[in-house]
Amino acid sequence: MAITAEVLAKAGKTKDAQNIFTAALETAQKIQRQDEQAKVLAAIAKAQAKAGLVEEAHKTVNTAFEIAQNYYSIWGSIGALCEVAVAEAAVEQKEEALELLSELRDREVVRETREQDKNLSTIAVAHIKIGEITTALEIKDEIEDEWERVKVLSWIAWAEFKKGEKERLLTTLAAALEAKGKIKDEENQVKALRAIAGIQIRAGKGEQAVRTVEKILTERNSHLPNVAAVFIETGPLAELRLRFLIKDCAPFYQNGIPYYKPGKPRNLPQRVLNSMRKIGR
């Protein structure tokens, strides 16, 4: 709904856009969980800012902050506040966003809770989303849990890919592989392999990514569609890589309509399905 309003605003239909934003805000008010409500309001604020409705965006993000702050004071969960910080940066309140994230970081270091590493990685990711990769790297070094480190590095790789920083991407990949090698928990190993496959794809190492996914022994096929989706983002060679990746787990087609063999995954993202039609699977 907020995205529709943003498009209308860019098309010059400001009144229609404002009406849709108003409806989106009214819907958000009905969300019972405060953390989810704050996240939705943060998303609306970002859309308002993109649509040029800066004053409205400021009001929305301030409301989101109040709700997220209240939720944090009760439950100690920082996810919503981090999303609000990202929204603050999007609505030209980056100084406030950095101040909020800095406060959260300081609190986590002092609290030393069981969730400390997870929370620090959430804070690091928020920094990445607003373009503060150097700070995210500093926070990554404060994290002891190797899976959480890989998570942060995967987001850094995403940002580096968007900027076309190939050499830095390779350095990030090496750091992720090193961290993955220290993970003992099997479930986190699977998560790390999937994240590393995404980094390898963005670094132009598609075949290595396929081999990485093949190391996932548990529910391997359920991870392939998500990795295939990343291939679509990587440029003109994506279709050839995609054909190679999904050869064992893709839907087949009759008259352009996908149907599935028994045991094949049914959750391929739509952009993957569209690309498969294009290359004639």
Side-chain angles (χ1 to χ4, degrees):
M1 189 178 289
I3 294 175
T4 301
E6 178 190 335
V7 171
L8 287 173
K10 288 181 177 179
K13 299 180 179 180
T14 306
K15 185 175 181 180
D16 290 339
Q18 287 177 330
N19 289 337
I20 293 176
F21 277 125
T22 298
L25 290 168
E26 290 175 353
T27 300
Q29 295 302 320
K30 298 175 184 178
I31 299 174
Q32 295 184 349
R33 280 191 51 159
Q34 285 188 317
D35 60 332
E36 295 300 326
Q37 185 181 49
K39 290 176 182 178
V40 169
L41 287 171
I44 293 172
K46 288 188 287 186
Q48 288 174 319
K50 288 182 180 179
L53 303 173
V54 179
E55 184 176 347
E56 291 86 344
H58 285 165
K59 292 178 181 178
T60 303
V61 80
N62 289 339
T63 301
F65 171 76
E66 292 174 3
I67 294 170
Q69 181 67 30
N70 184 62
Y71 185 83
Y72 175 78
S73 67
I74 297 172
W75 300 104
S77 177
I78 68 167
L81 277 173
C82 285
E83 287 299 317
V84 169
V86 174
E88 285 179 332
V91 303
E92 301 177 359
Q93 294 179 195
K94 189 169 184 178
E95 185 176 341
E96 290 89 336
L98 291 174
E99 183 179 347
L100 172 57
L101 292 174
S102 178
E103 289 178 4
L104 290 174
R105 178 183 178 184
D106 291 342
R107 290 178 196 174
E108 287 304 317
V109 171
V110 173
R111 289 171 68 195
E112 295 185 349
T113 64
R114 184 178 61 181
E115 299 292 313
Q116 184 184 68
D117 284 342
K118 181 179 179 181
N119 288 342
L120 285 173
S121 73
T122 301
I123 295 167
V125 169
H127 277 92
I128 295 165
K129 289 180 178 179
I130 63 177
E132 298 293 326
I133 295 180
T134 301
T135 303
L137 284 168
E138 292 173 0
I139 297 172
K140 185 265 297 180
D141 291 337
E142 297 171 3
I143 297 172
E144 295 182 2
D145 184 279
E146 298 296 341
W147 154 237
E148 295 297 339
R149 283 189 171 211
V150 172
K151 187 193 299 183
V152 174
L153 288 165
S154 70
W155 275 95
I156 290 173
W158 168 81
E160 290 168 341
F161 173 75
K162 294 292 185 182
K163 293 181 179 180
E165 297 175 341
K166 180 68 176 293
E167 293 302 318
R168 290 188 177 183
L169 234 177
L170 293 173
T171 300
T172 300
L173 173 58
L177 288 168
E178 181 181 355
K180 181 266 169 191
K182 300 176 183 177
I183 298 174
K184 304 299 182 184
D185 179 78
E186 183 177 347
E187 181 179 352
N188 286 340
Q189 284 181 346
V190 170
K191 293 178 183 177
L193 285 169
R194 175 176 159 183
I196 287 170
I199 299 174
Q200 288 171 325
I201 293 167
R202 293 187 171 100
K205 299 183 178 297
E207 287 71 22
Q208 287 186 20
V210 174
R211 291 196 292 271
T212 296
V213 177
E214 287 174 344
K215 294 178 182 178
I216 301 175
L217 301 178
T218 305
E219 298 181 357
R220 172 178 172 270
N221 277 7
S222 68
H223 296 278
L224 284 168
N226 299 292
V227 176
V230 182
F231 272 107
I232 306 303
E233 303 173 3
T234 60
L237 295 180
E239 292 173 359
L240 292 176
R241 294 169 179 163
L242 178 62
R243 185 193 298 272
F244 177 64
L245 174 65
I246 60 181
K247 62 182 179 181
D248 293 324
C249 67
F252 293 79
Y253 286 82
Q254 285 184 337
N255 300 322
I257 306 299
Y259 72 96
Y260 293 81
K261 286 189 174 181
K264 302 298 180 182
R266 297 173 179 267
N267 61 335
L268 281 167
Q270 188 60 47
R271 55 183 169 168
V272 177
L273 295 176
N274 291 341
S275 183
M276 289 167 59
R277 288 192 180 94
K278 183 177 178 182
I279 64 178
R281 278 292 303 186

